[in-house]
Amino acid sequence: MSKYTEDDLREELKTKEYEYGFYTDIESDKFPNGVNEDIVRAISKKKNEPEWMTEWRLEAFRVWEKMEEPEWANVHYKKPNFQDISYYSAPKKKPKLNSLDEVDPEMLATFEKLGISLLEQKRLANVAIDIVMDSVSVATTFKETLAEKGIIFMPISEAIQEHPELVRKYIGSVVPTTDNFYAALNSAVFSDGSFCYIPKGVRCPMELSTYFRINESGTGQFERTLVVADKGSYVSYLEGCTAPQRDENQLHAAVVELIALDDAEIKYSTVQNWFPGDAEGKGGVFNFVTKRGLCETNAKISWTQVETGSAVTWKYPSCILKGNNSVGEFYSIAVTNNFQQADTGTKMIHLGKNTKSTIISKGISAGKSQNSYRGLVQIGSRAENARNFSQCDSLLMGNECGAHTFPYIETKNKSAQIEHEATTSKIGEDQLFYCNQRGIDTEKAIALIVNGFSKEVLNKLPMEFAVEAQKLLEISLEGSVG
Amino acid sequence: MLKIENLHAQIEDKSILKGLNLEVKAGEIHAIMGPNGAGKSTLASVIAGKEEYEMTAGSMELNGEDISELAPEERAHAGVFLSFQYPVEIPGVTVTNFVKTSINESRKAQGLEDMPAKEMLQKIREKSELLEIDRKFLSRSLNEGFSGGEKKRNEIFQMAMLEPKLAILDETDSGLDIDALRIVSNGVNKLKSKDNAVIVITHYQRLLNYITPDFVHVLHDGKIVKTGDASLALELEAKGYDWIKEEVNG
């Protein structure tokens, strides 16, 4: 029969090239490999940082040196040699641009390939983009519109120069330099990232967006993002990633800190599509990220993530619900295929009274991948009437992948109400035949089923992101049924 | 429309259809009856192209074209529709979204653009009225938490939307109460035209009170052993299947 069989599908999937696997040839200013105090100082100097920042980095470095790489996650990989990584890489032709015409044409071509042409983006309006290409921001748009409202949205390196008091007050306040191995390393060597401040009572009129990209062979990326929403303000922040194909593993250890002051709300959405490695599990990005938000009284933080890329993902966007009546949300879709491994989830730390948290996690595993949800719901002794609802659903494709759930619950207050629901399902032959019979081929059927499965989370994404995310899910899983 | 000759089919080396002949012309309604295990549902699956079933001999043509080598979705594009005995659930995918995808995939296969949203909505409205389907029903996840009757009505709704050339109704009457049976049958009758054909697979005569067949075939041990008009169904209802078995064996 000429039927498109599972084997054909599997074969096609293996040969499916990473869609964004290309490399832009832009001259880079690169440090020698390795990290020590001199390198940390050099990075700080390169950035023309004030003394306090240099000291902060050095402190982090000294802590990091004594730390061990964590091994508790349900992932297995060859540990990176941290002395074999270049800790600074910036495009040499760093332009100060007034218009797009001044942007390096090669860089524009890269954006075109990614489907995020600035021209397009500018016309689309409503999305201000701070593009990070190899650690240094090269273009910032819509700054003026934002400035009118007093909103600060700029590369963190610039913010350190222009708003040192804000950066100094908040950096490391949610993720301290001592927090964990990767966060400490990031604190020591971060090259750039984004800074965002929304003043009191201001509702940010547009979605703020940052596109990260790894672009230099053997260069790790250590992004640092700091978002501060002052009292009664609101901001929706979008982060999207895609990386070019590389043979050796690339390390990505970002830190994102969110601070929502009284009555403020932050929505932070991520679509992560780093190179996942090839069909044999070779190459791919190691994504070891620390993301955490702090909620003061009546504040709310929502994390929404669509994780389709990376060879190894280690990521737990968390909320510290410090203020009374504060709300934390975590909506996640994690897709793993081939040899990908993901250990992702969240921590909801309830400290204040009447705090509420919601966790919706959708794990989709295909190929020989391993997909783990790891979550902690912690209710402190003073957190009267804290409530949590968690739902963890796993969808399996084929017989060689794994789905795991590690929910931890710790409560020190008897008034807490905690609910946890979990399901595991498999895409069945019967479902596929039913779709086929209605004229829908197997590939499209899988996309349909997966999108249905992920719907509750996709619905939480801003419109323009939801479409992109849906496409990503399709690309990531094309023909992965077994 | 459909021409099946000397059809042999098996599943996991178990032979089920053993030389079946069937010819269905445009404008006709055929009923296939028979005792449990005769091969009725297998016949439906084999026509639709379910992979587990292997066709070992014979031929199967739709409008003069051999469809035996086609994938299930290609047969669907060619106009074959199967109303499932046990429709599957697809959580998170609404009835509307599923039907829309289904229609547009078939259009794509024919080199057509997606159906314009307005036309789609109009058609959905029209067909859901025909089958007395509540609009709220259309935004529910496909078959998830549906009652037996809702599932079957949903199958016929999809048939109405897709307008197939050949519709096979596999035990569509099972799980239907008398009102639902009337609505579903009514729908099928209204959708019937001189250009399409329907095969009704049923164990009981009940459905045939509403959908009057031009031919009634009795399937026994993988073959059609008796063919008659609508009165044959009544005879079967009154006398059961044993006399047929005896007639065949004797």
Side-chain angles (χ1 to χ4, degrees):
Chain A
M1 277 177 64
S2 69
K3 199 185 136 45
Y4 190 60
T5 67
E6 287 166 36
D7 291 337
D8 296 334
L9 283 168
R10 227 178 261 129
E11 209 43 51
E12 187 183 306
L13 180 73
K14 278 180 194 154
T15 54
K16 179 120 192 133
E17 295 276 323
Y18 179 65
E19 298 244 326
Y20 299 137
F22 52 84
Y23 173 68
T24 308
D25 190 16
I26 295 168
E27 280 183 69
S28 290
D29 179 358
K30 200 168 155 183
F31 275 27
N33 288 356
V35 60
N36 53 42
E37 290 205 7
D38 290 340
I39 291 281
V40 174
R41 276 199 192 88
I43 292 168
S44 192
K45 194 173 173 218
K46 193 104 195 157
K47 298 263 160 197
N48 200 20
E49 286 175 354
E51 183 63 26
W52 63 266
M53 196 68 234
T54 315
E55 280 309 312
W56 191 81
R57 284 178 181 274
L58 285 168
E59 208 176 291
F61 176 75
R62 287 169 199 142
V63 170
W64 176 76
E65 269 193 311
K66 295 191 192 82
M67 287 177 132
E68 299 263 328
E69 211 176 335
E71 285 177 349
W72 44 262
N74 185 28
V75 292
H76 306 277
Y77 58 95
K78 189 172 170 283
K79 285 182 184 170
N81 179 353
F82 292 94
Q83 295 305 340
D84 208 24
I85 292 170
S86 168
Y87 286 85
Y88 185 81
S89 151
K92 250 184 191 164
K93 306 176 196 162
K94 190 193 175 187
K96 284 272 175 199
L97 303 174
N98 300 315
S99 83
L100 284 168
D101 305 337
E102 295 172 34
V103 176
D104 188 330
E106 272 210 53
M107 202 172 278
L108 282 181
T110 303
F111 296 145
E112 299 274 349
K113 276 189 224 168
L114 283 169
I116 50 157
S117 103
L118 279 179
L119 296 153
E120 195 75 51
Q121 294 285 6
K122 258 193 162 175
R123 249 183 267 120
L124 282 171
N126 259 15
V127 182
I129 301 172
D130 176 23
I131 292 164
V132 178
M133 177 112 173
D134 250 31
S135 323
V136 174
S137 305
V138 291
T140 305
T141 49
F142 290 96
K143 227 170 174 174
E144 283 163 32
T145 324
L146 296 173
E148 278 169 27
K149 298 236 171 203
I151 294 167
I152 304 165
F153 180 43
M154 56 173 58
I156 199 161
S157 58
E158 276 177 38
I160 291 168
Q161 308 295 331
E162 291 178 33
H163 304 281
E165 70 299 337
L166 280 175
V167 177
R168 194 172 183 179
K169 183 171 176 189
Y170 291 109
I171 195 167
S173 68
V174 188
V175 180
T177 50
T178 52
D179 191 80
N180 68 69
F181 184 83
Y182 305 112
L185 181 62
N186 175 289
S187 302
V189 303
F190 77 88
S191 44
D192 215 335
S194 294
F195 175 78
C196 173
Y197 172 80
I198 316 292
K200 269 178 206 163
V202 169
R203 203 181 157 84
C204 185
M206 57 183 79
E207 315 268 358
L208 298 182
S209 191
T210 310
Y211 285 81
F212 297 96
R213 222 171 120 60
I214 295 179
N215 197 43
E216 185 73 5
S217 175
T219 310
Q221 275 225 332
F222 301 92
E223 301 293 341
R224 188 96 199 180
T225 303
L226 180 57
V227 179
V228 181
D230 211 329
K231 291 178 183 173
S233 68
Y234 167 84
V235 63
S236 169
Y237 194 97
L238 316 181
E239 173 201 70
C241 308
T242 164
Q245 187 156 358
R246 279 291 161 267
D247 274 336
E248 62 212 273
N249 288 306
Q250 289 176 302
L251 178 64
H252 181 75
V255 172
V256 177
E257 291 178 281
L258 309 183
I259 294 120
L261 297 179
D262 295 357
D263 304 302
E265 182 178 349
I266 301 174
K267 252 180 88 99
Y268 195 100
S269 315
T270 306
V271 170
Q272 187 267 116
N273 185 26
W274 302 109
F275 179 53
D278 63 17
E280 272 74 52
K282 200 164 165 264
V285 168
F286 289 175
N287 193 27
F288 303 138
V289 183
T290 307
K291 289 184 166 177
R292 197 175 301 152
L294 177 77
C295 287
E296 296 286 358
T297 307
N298 297 325
K300 178 177 174 183
I301 288 178
S302 297
W303 296 101
T304 306
Q305 61 173 23
V306 178
E307 301 279 320
T308 61
S310 297
V312 182
T313 298
W314 182 98
K315 182 182 173 187
Y316 316 91
S318 304
C319 295
I320 300 171
L321 304 172
K322 183 180 159 214
N324 293 343
N325 313 314
S326 59
V327 177
E329 293 174 338
F330 174 75
Y331 303 104
S332 170
I333 301 168
V335 180
T336 53
N337 200 351
N338 292 320
F339 286 88
Q340 280 179 280
Q341 305 176 70
D343 193 303
T344 185
T346 184
K347 285 192 273 187
M348 292 293 174
I349 313 294
H350 294 252
L351 300 176
K353 294 190 176 85
N354 307 315
T355 44
K356 258 170 65 179
S357 64
T358 306
I359 299 170
I360 310 277
S361 163
K362 304 275 180 179
I364 300 155
S365 353
K368 293 181 175 165
S369 69
Q370 296 295 327
N371 200 326
S372 304
Y373 166 82
R374 187 183 302 275
L376 169 66
V377 176
Q378 195 177 55
I379 315 285
S381 56
R382 290 182 193 168
E384 294 292 326
N385 301 315
R387 293 184 62 176
N388 162 265
F389 173 76
S390 302
Q391 185 187 327
C392 302
D393 298 325
S394 306
L395 186 67
L396 296 161
M397 295 186 208
N399 300 319
E400 294 174 291
C401 57
H404 315 270
T405 308
F406 304 98
Y408 299 89
I409 297 171
E410 294 170 17
T411 174
K412 290 179 183 152
N413 190 307
K414 282 183 185 160
S415 66
Q417 277 184 50
I418 298 169
E419 289 172 72
H420 182 92
E421 289 177 11
T423 66
T424 304
S425 52
K426 210 179 148 184
I427 292 190
E429 291 296 325
D430 282 352
Q431 278 178 317
L432 292 175
F433 177 64
Y434 188 86
C435 293
N436 292 160
Q437 208 299 306
R438 296 298 187 257
I440 303 166
D441 67 25
T442 301
E443 207 159 290
K444 185 85 187 171
I446 291 168
L448 194 69
I449 294 166
V450 166
N451 273 320
F453 173 77
S454 315
K455 197 160 126 186
E456 287 159 280
V457 176
L458 287 173
N459 283 347
K460 297 289 173 187
L461 289 169
M463 259 311 272
E464 61 268 42
F465 237 27
V467 177
E468 198 177 311
Q470 226 165 334
K471 276 190 198 150
L472 250 182
L473 289 185
E474 290 182 24
I475 291 170
S476 313
L477 287 166
E478 267 172 7
S480 52
V481 84
Chain B
M1 173 85 54
L2 179 72
K3 196 173 179 187
I4 292 174
E5 280 177 349
N6 190 34
L7 177 65
H8 286 71
Q10 60 181 39
I11 183 165
E12 288 167 359
D13 298 331
K14 189 174 182 272
S15 172
I16 311 233
L17 299 180
K18 302 164 185 171
L20 182 139
N21 296 301
L22 179 66
E23 185 168 3
V24 179
K25 293 200 174 75
E28 292 176 350
I29 296 177
H30 289 239
I32 294 182
M33 301 183 72
N36 288 330
K40 301 192 296 291
S41 284
T42 297
L43 176 63
S45 296
V46 171
I47 297 172
K50 193 168 188 180
E51 212 182 324
E52 290 96 305
Y53 293 91
E54 195 191 340
M55 199 174 134
T56 48
S59 68
M60 188 157 57
E61 285 177 0
L62 186 73
N63 293 322
E65 270 187 67
D66 178 14
I67 59 164
S68 62
E69 296 288 316
L70 297 182
E73 62 270 22
E74 291 169 324
R75 298 184 196 200
H77 299 156
V80 175
F81 179 91
L82 172 61
S83 168
F84 284 70
Q85 186 177 1
Y86 304 108
V88 302
E89 296 180 4
I90 306 185
V93 177
T94 62
V95 174
T96 304
N97 188 16
F98 186 77
V99 167
K100 195 180 98 192
T101 308
S102 179
I103 286 179
N104 284 334
E105 286 297 300
S106 291
R107 287 175 69 101
K108 199 164 85 188
Q110 282 142 29
L112 297 170
E113 296 280 305
D114 280 2
M115 184 181 277
K118 204 180 150 197
E119 198 183 321
M120 184 78 74
L121 282 173
Q122 208 172 351
K123 194 164 182 179
I124 287 174
R125 193 172 304 134
E126 183 193 317
K127 303 300 182 186
S128 57
E129 272 167 22
L130 172 70
L131 292 158
E132 298 176 36
I133 286 173
D134 188 338
R135 296 286 280 285
K136 276 185 221 143
F137 178 84
L138 301 172
S139 33
R140 283 170 64 187
S141 286
L142 190 74
N143 292 320
E144 199 180 33
F146 285 17
S147 69
E150 283 173 330
K151 283 183 182 172
K152 295 301 170 72
R153 207 185 293 191
N154 181 33
E155 293 291 289
I156 303 304
F157 171 66
Q158 292 180 44
M159 170 183 156
M161 290 296 293
L162 287 162
E163 300 176 331
K165 292 198 183 96
L166 174 69
I168 305 160
L169 312 184
D170 188 7
E171 305 276 1
T172 298
D173 50 336
S174 69
L176 290 186
D177 63 28
I178 201 76
D179 289 327
L181 188 66
R182 178 185 52 76
I183 293 163
V184 162
S185 311
N186 203 10
V188 172
N189 287 331
K190 280 187 184 156
L191 296 167
K192 187 74 212 50
S193 78
K194 63 177 174 38
D195 301 316
N196 58 26
V198 180
I199 297 175
V200 181
I201 292 175
T202 180
H203 190 75
Y204 301 104
Q205 189 268 341
R206 191 173 73 140
L207 180 64
L208 306 179
N209 287 335
Y210 299 89
I211 301 172
T212 314
D214 300 300
F215 298 93
V216 174
H217 308 278
V218 180
L219 188 61
H220 173 59
D221 196 23
K223 267 185 260 186
I224 285 173
V225 292
K226 199 170 180 68
T227 295
D229 60 14
S231 65
L232 177 59
L234 292 167
E235 200 178 348
L236 287 166
E237 183 77 359
K239 292 159 72 179
Y241 288 110
D242 286 346
W243 65 277
I244 299 258
K245 290 180 194 171
E246 278 160 27
E247 208 177 273
V248 174
N249 296 331

